[in-house]
Amino acid sequence: MTILRKEMYLSVKKVKPLNDYNLELTFENNEIKIFDVKPYLDTGLFKTLKDKNFFRMVKVSCDTIEWPNKVDLDPEVLYEKSKVVIGHQLQPEC
């Protein structure tokens, strides 16, 4: 009998908005990754994030990130679809 084990997701511990609708994310394992939000900006409530001032209001909420209008992303998506940062910071803050 084969037992499937689902891997636990990693919680987001820190978020920093960067230029060009990117987010620098620090996960609970201290890995720093960059997540590109641009592919989501034409979908539903994510359209509100096109306002750069509003985009910069992102905060850590529980184990993921969230904006003031309650738009959030699953921490598994954030981890799987983000790119590892080599060095400390890939881009300047926005």
Side-chain angles (χ1 to χ4, degrees):
M1 177 162 89
T2 303
I3 298 174
L4 297 176
R5 189 179 119 215
K6 184 173 177 168
E7 295 296 320
M8 295 290 293
Y9 65 85
L10 293 168
S11 298
V12 177
K13 294 300 177 192
K14 184 177 175 186
V15 60
K16 180 167 48 172
L18 304 174
N19 287 329
D20 201 27
Y21 299 103
N22 286 303
L23 299 171
E24 182 182 278
L25 304 169
T26 304
F27 291 89
E28 67 181 299
N29 65 352
N30 293 319
E31 191 171 1
I32 299 172
K33 298 179 90 174
I34 301 296
F35 183 81
D36 184 0
V37 181
K38 288 187 299 297
Y40 301 87
L41 293 178
D42 290 322
T43 307
L45 289 174
F46 285 94
K47 291 177 183 178
T48 60
L49 303 181
K50 288 181 179 180
D51 176 332
K52 290 189 179 191
N53 290 324
F54 193 78
F55 179 78
R56 286 192 292 269
M57 294 177 161
V58 65
K59 302 284 184 214
V60 172
S61 177
C62 297
D63 57 359
T64 191
I65 60 169
E66 183 178 80
W67 284 269
N69 62 350
K70 302 299 182 196
V71 169
D72 64 359
L73 287 156
D74 189 291
E76 290 178 76
V77 171
L78 292 171
Y79 190 81
E80 291 171 11
K81 302 219 179 240
S82 58
K83 296 179 181 172
V84 176
V85 173
I86 297 176
H88 178 62
Q89 186 172 327
L90 186 65
Q91 300 178 15
E93 290 185 55
C94 60

